[in-house]
Amino acid sequence: MARRYSRQEEALEIKSLRRILSAYLNYSDAAEEDVRRYERSFAKLSPAHKDLLSHLPVKYKRIRWCISVNTFFIMSMLQAFEPPIEMNQGVNFDDHDGQGDTVEGHPLSATLSNPIDKDVCSEQLTISGSHVSMHRPLHGKEENNLINHATRSNGKEGTHIESCCNEYVDRPLTDDHCKEPCDCHQSASCHDSLTNANVSSPPRDWLDMSSRANIPLADVDKVRCIIRNIIRDWTIEGQRERDQCYKPILKELDRLFPSRSKERPPSCLVPGAGLGRLALEISCLGFVSQGNEFSYYMMICSSFILNHTQAAGEWTIYPWIHGNCNSLSDIDQLRPVSFPDIHPASAGITEGFSMCGGDFVEVYNDESQKGTWDAVVTCFFLDTAHNIVEYIEIISNIVKDGGVWINMGPLLYHFADSYGPDDEMSVELSLEDVKKVAFHYGFELEVETTIETTYSANPRSMMQNRYFAPLWTMKKKQKP
């Protein structure tokens, strides 16, 4: 039986989840403040300069409309999300500091360490006839490390609320052409249509816009990052990046496991799975695939795309509206992108495909995981470690003897520039040292090459950050 949450643990979960949901709910207001800043700068221009740039007020109006379309998607996604715990419990906390947090008068502990039984904490999510198992793993330590619990299927299909603004005409930005096609894309009416929808789930009181907590702008930036990651994983526009990063990995798996049995398919773990596309592609290749993701921001979005989208191209967003730098034209900046490019339920996934949320170290550094996986695939993942040696040691432990580890990605260590009061650990090794560590833990290098690629890049931007990332296949030695 799964270990029950203590009241303190549930309170920390509620606090963290409220902050993440508030970041999503604050997206519209934060974006609107950006537009107001643009307008304030425009107002300071001389009359002659205003005449020269007379199209800008119309552009700002169009950006507001694009923001409302993005907000409609976000609210639809949150409407489909079912929190793993009761969000209306009385938890008092100060959003600005971590001091004085209480649950009914009891102080909250600062950290959580006890694991939850992973074998019995899984639930099924309906994907239009298929199922993706979402496992309930270990606790994280802060809001961005929060575990992803399964959103629970109640066996019913909720009412689908479709966006009617799915077209964008490539035309000059004039006042005549800036009419919103319908009122449903104003943020307030989008919110009302969703919260009042006749869906087969309890009322989402936590979606009440008036209950949003004050959160740092950095949290809203994480929401914008999610929107950009949708482009990478689930759009036609992101196909080039996927071909650069994912296709070589899929070719290696196909080469290494040429005879895949449907009765006993090989297993593959994908740590740092993000929005789930690589894990899904590996599943479609004939593997029992499990994605592991640390960020609850990512898990909420991936769950919606994998389990609630009804057709390819169902949703439209405007991902490039949040920055005016390096744009070739206003049309490029305001262009729409539809997603998903494929219908996940119709993609041909192998039975057993799942997503497991939680910190890689906490979830997989467990005796039950030892020698479990035929393959581990890490893509843009190793540099997320506080201690990359620990990552490699765990990968070695969970791969079967004779199994393989395929890695692709740079070493842009995420905690290398952490100068906060917590003085977070960051072990930063060269590529040469990373491979030495891998050899120490029983891996042998089979194939190595270099991949030139981008990450969540705007293909029409004047600035492109390119990586020359190693791609290798290592095999774990057979023990005598």
Side-chain angles (χ1 to χ4, degrees):
M1 180 178 293
R3 182 182 63 82
R4 296 184 62 184
Y5 279 147
S6 71
R7 293 164 70 184
Q8 293 180 351
E9 289 172 331
E10 285 204 354
L12 284 176
E13 290 257 0
I14 294 169
K15 174 182 175 179
S16 298
L17 185 50
R18 282 181 183 172
R19 177 167 174 171
I20 291 168
L21 294 172
S22 289
Y24 275 113
L25 293 171
N26 275 280
Y27 164 82
S28 179
D29 284 351
E32 169 63 23
E33 181 53 41
D34 287 342
V35 179
R36 290 174 183 166
R37 179 166 50 84
Y38 306 155
E39 291 174 331
R40 289 195 296 269
S41 295
F42 180 82
K44 295 176 182 179
L45 293 175
S46 67
H49 292 174
K50 286 180 181 178
D51 289 342
L52 185 63
L53 303 174
S54 60
H55 66 286
L56 288 183
V58 179
K59 175 185 176 181
Y60 302 151
K61 184 178 181 182
R62 178 59 68 101
I63 289 176
R64 281 195 170 93
W65 180 80
C66 295
I67 291 169
S68 67
V69 176
N70 290 353
T71 302
F72 184 82
F73 161 69
I74 289 171
M75 295 304 298
S76 301
M77 179 180 68
L78 295 181
Q79 177 67 20
F81 173 63
E82 295 187 26
I85 48 182
E86 176 56 55
M87 294 295 294
N88 296 325
Q89 297 180 46
V91 180
N92 300 317
F93 59 86
D94 184 343
D95 281 316
H96 301 290
D97 58 43
Q99 306 302 317
D101 298 342
T102 62
V103 184
E104 297 180 7
H106 299 281
L108 301 183
S109 59
T111 60
L112 301 171
S113 57
N114 293 326
I116 296 173
D117 190 335
K118 296 181 288 297
D119 295 330
V120 296
C121 289
S122 62
E123 303 182 43
Q124 296 294 320
L125 289 166
T126 303
I127 289 191
S128 302
S130 302
H131 291 86
V132 171
S133 174
M134 305 289 282
H135 295 277
R136 178 176 183 164
L138 305 177
H139 274 290
K141 299 176 183 176
E142 53 183 280
E143 72 284 349
N144 195 38
N145 306 346
L146 192 64
I147 65 170
N148 177 271
H149 300 276
T151 48
R152 288 163 283 198
S153 171
N154 54 15
K156 303 176 183 178
E157 292 190 8
T159 301
H160 173 60
I161 303 171
E162 184 174 0
S163 167
C164 61
C165 293
N166 55 4
E167 297 180 358
Y168 178 85
V169 179
D170 190 1
R171 59 193 179 191
L173 293 176
T174 66
D175 228 359
D176 293 337
H177 293 154
C178 201
K179 306 295 184 184
E180 289 81 354
C182 69
D183 290 336
C184 77
H185 295 291
Q186 300 304 319
S187 299
S189 57
C190 286
H191 174 260
D192 291 342
S193 68
L194 286 163
T195 53
N196 295 327
N198 182 24
V199 295
S200 56
S201 58
R204 266 82 165 144
D205 294 338
W206 44 268
L207 278 179
D208 183 358
M209 302 288 275
S210 64
S211 67
R212 291 174 294 176
N214 293 322
I215 52 110
L217 288 178
D219 286 18
V220 181
D221 284 340
K222 294 173 186 176
V223 176
R224 295 172 179 173
C225 178
I226 295 299
I227 293 174
R228 292 193 299 273
N229 272 268
I230 291 174
I231 307 306
R232 173 178 169 86
D233 263 17
W234 293 104
T235 71
I236 294 173
E237 190 161 338
Q239 185 67 54
R240 184 178 180 183
E241 275 194 7
R242 293 197 299 276
D243 285 347
Q244 291 168 345
C245 297
Y246 299 168
K247 187 174 284 187
I249 292 171
L250 297 172
K251 286 183 177 179
E252 272 296 275
L253 286 172
D254 192 40
R255 178 185 70 84
L256 292 163
F257 299 89
S259 303
R260 295 182 291 279
S261 166
K262 290 185 178 180
E263 289 72 29
R264 300 189 65 181
S267 60
C268 182
L269 174 67
V270 186
L275 295 184
R277 182 58 178 265
L278 179 56
L280 178 136
E281 295 284 358
I282 292 172
S283 176
C284 294
L285 203 60
F287 288 75
V288 173
S289 174
Q290 181 174 104
N292 164 239
E293 178 51 46
F294 194 37
S295 167
Y296 215 150
Y297 291 91
M298 289 279 190
M299 291 296 285
I300 290 173
C301 187
S302 66
S303 175
F304 181 77
I305 294 173
L306 290 169
N307 295 286
H308 296 281
T309 51
Q310 304 296 316
E314 179 180 1
W315 296 95
T316 296
I317 53 175
Y318 294 83
W320 315 118
I321 60 174
H322 301 297
N324 294 320
C325 298
N326 292 306
S327 294
L328 294 173
S329 69
D330 289 345
I331 292 296
D332 276 342
Q333 184 184 356
L334 275 64
R335 71 188 187 276
V337 181
S338 62
F339 72 96
D341 62 313
I342 60 171
H343 181 215
S346 305
I349 60 175
T350 301
E351 184 177 355
F353 174 45
S354 63
M355 293 286 286
C356 178
D359 176 76
F360 171 71
V361 172
E362 294 183 5
V363 176
Y364 295 95
N365 192 21
D366 187 273
E367 191 64 27
S368 65
Q369 292 288 326
K370 189 172 183 179
T372 300
W373 302 94
D374 295 297
V376 172
V377 167
T378 51
C379 182
F380 278 78
F381 173 70
L382 286 185
D383 55 5
T384 67
H386 286 280
N387 178 2
I388 191 171
V389 178
E390 186 175 38
Y391 268 21
I392 297 171
E393 181 181 17
I394 292 172
I395 292 170
S396 175
N397 286 338
I398 64 179
V399 172
K400 296 177 181 178
D401 290 348
V404 297
W405 171 27
I406 301 173
N407 174 71
M408 204 288 290
L411 295 175
L412 184 65
Y413 293 101
H414 288 206
F415 300 99
D417 298 322
S418 296
Y419 299 110
D422 295 335
D423 190 24
E424 294 190 87
M425 178 184 184
S426 182
V427 177
E428 300 138 22
L429 303 182
S430 68
L431 178 61
E432 181 181 19
D433 282 346
V434 169
K435 288 189 285 188
K436 285 180 180 178
V437 171
F439 300 154
H440 171 78
Y441 284 108
F443 285 106
E444 294 178 314
L445 184 64
E446 284 208 334
V447 178
E448 184 177 22
T449 187
T450 299
I451 301 294
E452 181 180 355
T453 185
T454 57
Y455 189 91
S456 296
N458 179 353
R460 300 189 197 176
S461 170
M462 286 183 276
M463 185 182 75
Q464 300 288 333
N465 291 323
R466 307 198 69 80
Y467 296 95
F468 296 87
L471 168 67
W472 71 61
T473 297
M474 294 191 184
K475 180 172 284 189
K476 186 178 176 184
K477 297 177 185 177
Q478 295 274 5
K479 290 182 179 178

